[in-house]
Amino acid sequence: MKPIKAYRKRVQYYETDRMGITHNSNYFRWFEEARLDFMDQSGRSYLELEEMGIFMPIVSESARFIAPTRFYDEVMIKSKMTHYNSYKCTVEFEVIRLNDRKLCTTGEVVYAIVNQTGKPIKLSKDFPEIDSYYNSLINYQSEEQVQM
Amino acid sequence: MKPIKAYRKRVQYYETDRMGITHNSNYFRWFEEARLDFMDQSGRSYLELEEMGIFMPIVSESARFIAPTRFYDEVMIKSKMTHYNSYKCTVEFEVIRLNDRKLCTTGEVVYAIVNQTGKPIKLSKDFPEIDSYYNSLINYQSEEQVQM
Amino acid sequence: MKPIKAYRKRVQYYETDRMGITHNSNYFRWFEEARLDFMDQSGRSYLELEEMGIFMPIVSESARFIAPTRFYDEVMIKSKMTHYNSYKCTVEFEVIRLNDRKLCTTGEVVYAIVNQTGKPIKLSKDFPEIDSYYNSLINYQSEEQVQM
Amino acid sequence: MKPIKAYRKRVQYYETDRMGITHNSNYFRWFEEARLDFMDQSGRSYLELEEMGIFMPIVSESARFIAPTRFYDEVMIKSKMTHYNSYKCTVEFEVIRLNDRKLCTTGEVVYAIVNQTGKPIKLSKDFPEIDSYYNSLINYQSEEQVQM
């Protein structure tokens, strides 16, 4: 597998609020952006999974806000799948401001693995190839991107 | 039909941006909130229409921003369907700040009428009861709500 | 103090995603809506606090998604401040679907108390009246609203 | 001036709604993303302008939805400033789906040019350098990006 680069983005104007900082709810959207990009780079887009009948709704999620980000800040978002067991997986995220390498936000999201009707599925049994794919990504840390 | 009241809401914190005002994109979301509430009050929720197989994607929309709204402003949104012809309809919106009755934003949205697969349908032929309902609402102006 | 009613709202179309359910990030926006409404009902709007120079950025937050909500579901959001100590406070939230009383989501948000420049302030020293107000709300549970 | 590339992005999951397509309000956010990227590439970021005391609130905007976009579609957004007169400017946008070159959405946004307190300013008098910059961009069309 070729190296997976950390996701990069700029804070958009519409993502800020009247306090002049990124609204807290948007970090959960960025975690989603980062995870989708991670999967895409690893060779299995989430769209492809949904088309196979695999859906991954969120069971729980949390974030800790260490420092705010502001309009037009460039950030890097690292993702690492720390746990996977055929039924669900956990991904940890770090949002790092690029100009000073400040860790601004950390987060954790737990995903269930279900079919289109929301019933749990067991990847090792129902989709062994996807199960191997997930197993190969455990604790894989996306790489930093120093240059945009 | 009993009178339909104009939709009311408060500007939320997450709807503001770093300029300290409501982000422009949210007015289109408020138009949607107001229209859904209008339909609900008129006795035919949009959800019911979708369940019957009637979908109303947007063909075009516009807004004119006359004065900004800010966090926790209370606004009233009036809607009026100005045009309907079995295939599509046009709704005009007015966003009025309640504390000083200032007209802050006007907008217009044109909706197509299609089935689940996106094919145009003709309400007068396919759903005559809904066609009558829409005809009865032409130029109906929702009423002001002075008291919350 | 007169009873504080739980916050109520309908799930909006723009809050749903292609899975047909409310996007996870919106629950954190609803927690904000519910808290602002709670403060408003208790006699101290958050806007008033910001105008006095008291800002409450979020330190951390989490949510657990037990059951999804869908377009046009009516939900009730209960809030309870479980901890307050002059520097920060913790509020717990419950999102309950009204038609079947199903508890769909729980959440917890920790707020810091700072001045406009982001420096921590101690309410008991700097704003004793607001400190009393917060103390009076510890463990106060907003009341259910059976009728809209 | 070096060529300015059209803005590119993927449709995010949280940008779709239960109809399975991008929610209309998000196109106005994309226009903003595209314009900020355009300014950035042209050598004058909008952030820099705000720091100089130049703000550009929106006077009016519109969009025409020709074909929907869906989750994970890659789109290119072209921007062209068609009018500028020291007090305001108009930018036209085109959203093109990359896999089939389909023109999905067109839009137009009119911006006012004001100071921090919202008072109109005249760039040719107050900021002649920025006035020249804007004049140089009239009818400049961002270039297509065939390769991501």
Side-chain angles (χ1 to χ4, degrees), chain B residues 6 32 39 56 96 123:
Chain B
E32 182 178 290
M39 292 184 71
M56 299 182 65
I96 294 155
L123 286 186

Side-chain angles (χ1 to χ4, degrees), chain B residues 39-89:
Chain B
M39 292 184 71
D40 206 39
Q41 286 189 64
S42 72
R44 289 279 183 192
S45 79
Y46 179 64
L47 181 58
E48 189 188 338
L49 261 60
E50 283 207 348
E51 282 165 358
M52 292 169 73
I54 302 168
F55 292 77
M56 299 182 65
I58 292 177
V59 174
S60 63
E61 63 187 348
S62 62
R64 201 159 63 87
F65 306 105
I66 298 154
T69 58
R70 292 169 199 281
F71 171 54
Y72 233 51
D73 278 350
E74 242 183 294
V75 296
M76 168 172 72
I77 305 173
K78 294 185 186 180
S79 7
K80 186 163 76 171
M81 191 176 67
T82 55
H83 182 80
Y84 164 69
N85 77 353
S86 229
Y87 295 106
K88 61 181 183 180
C89 70

Side-chain angles (χ1 to χ4, degrees), chain D residues 127-138:
Chain D
F127 296 91
E129 195 193 352
I130 302 299
D131 181 62
S132 302
Y133 160 73
Y134 268 109
N135 272 310
S136 75
L137 292 174
I138 295 175

Side-chain angles (χ1 to χ4, degrees), chain A residues 5-107:
Chain A
K5 293 182 206 150
Y7 182 66
R8 284 175 71 154
K9 71 165 285 164
R10 275 195 189 281
V11 179
Q12 294 299 324
Y13 207 91
Y14 64 78
E15 293 177 322
T16 61
D17 64 22
R18 79 193 289 266
M19 223 185 267
I21 61 177
T22 304
H23 190 270
N24 61 85
S25 60
N26 292 315
Y27 290 94
F28 297 99
R29 299 182 171 197
W30 297 1
F31 296 163
E32 182 179 289
E33 293 186 37
R35 182 176 66 100
L36 292 172
D37 181 67
F38 183 97
M39 292 185 71
D40 206 40
Q41 286 188 65
S42 73
R44 289 280 183 192
S45 78
Y46 179 64
L47 181 58
E48 191 188 338
L49 262 61
E50 283 208 348
E51 282 164 359
M52 292 170 73
I54 302 168
F55 292 77
M56 299 181 64
I58 293 178
V59 174
S60 63
E61 63 187 348
S62 62
R64 201 160 61 87
F65 306 104
I66 299 155
T69 58
R70 292 170 198 281
F71 171 54
Y72 232 50
D73 278 349
E74 243 183 292
V75 296
M76 169 172 71
I77 305 173
K78 295 185 185 179
S79 5
K80 187 162 77 170
M81 191 176 66
T82 54
H83 182 80
Y84 163 70
N85 76 355
S86 229
Y87 296 107
K88 62 181 183 181
C89 71
T90 303
V91 182
E92 287 180 9
F93 299 94
E94 288 182 354
V95 179
I96 295 155
R97 194 164 53 206
L98 279 176
N99 71 330
D100 63 356
R101 297 271 146 178
K102 174 76 182 168
L103 175 64
C104 293
T105 308
T106 60

Side-chain angles (χ1 to χ4, degrees), chain C:
Chain C
M1 192 174 65
K2 64 176 186 194
I4 295 173
K5 292 181 206 150
Y7 182 67
R8 284 174 71 154
K9 72 165 285 166
R10 275 196 189 280
V11 179
Q12 295 298 323
Y13 208 91
Y14 63 80
E15 293 176 322
T16 62
D17 64 24
R18 81 193 287 266
M19 222 184 270
I21 60 176
T22 304
H23 190 270
N24 61 85
S25 60
N26 291 316
Y27 290 93
F28 296 100
R29 299 183 171 196
W30 297 0
F31 296 163
E32 183 179 289
E33 292 187 38
R35 183 177 63 101
L36 293 172
D37 181 68
F38 183 98
M39 293 185 69
D40 206 40
Q41 286 189 64
S42 73
R44 289 280 184 190
S45 78
Y46 178 64
L47 181 58
E48 189 188 339
L49 262 59
E50 283 208 348
E51 282 165 358
M52 292 169 74
I54 302 168
F55 292 77
M56 299 182 64
I58 293 176
V59 174
S60 64
E61 61 187 348
S62 62
R64 201 159 63 86
F65 305 105
I66 298 154
T69 58
R70 293 170 198 281
F71 171 55
Y72 233 50
D73 278 350
E74 242 183 294
V75 296
M76 167 172 71
I77 305 173
K78 294 185 185 180
S79 7
K80 185 162 76 170
M81 191 176 67
T82 54
H83 182 79
Y84 164 70
N85 77 353
S86 228
Y87 295 106
K88 61 182 183 179
C89 69
T90 302
V91 181
E92 287 180 8
F93 299 94
E94 287 182 355
V95 179
I96 295 154
R97 194 165 52 207
L98 279 177
N99 70 330
D100 62 357
R101 297 271 145 179
K102 173 77 182 167
L103 175 64
C104 293
T105 307
T106 59
E108 190 183 271
V109 182
V110 179
Y111 305 89
I113 301 168
V114 303
N115 67 15
Q116 184 140 26
T117 64
K119 294 252 155 60
I121 54 181
K122 190 182 178 182
L123 285 186
S124 58
K125 180 169 156 287
D126 300 329
F127 296 91
E129 195 194 353
I130 303 298
D131 181 62
S132 302
Y133 159 72
Y134 268 108
N135 271 310
S136 75
L137 292 175
I138 294 176
N139 287 320
Y140 184 90
Q141 170 80 65
S142 52
E143 294 193 4
E144 299 212 358
Q145 278 187 283
V146 178
Q147 296 275 266
M148 193 110 190

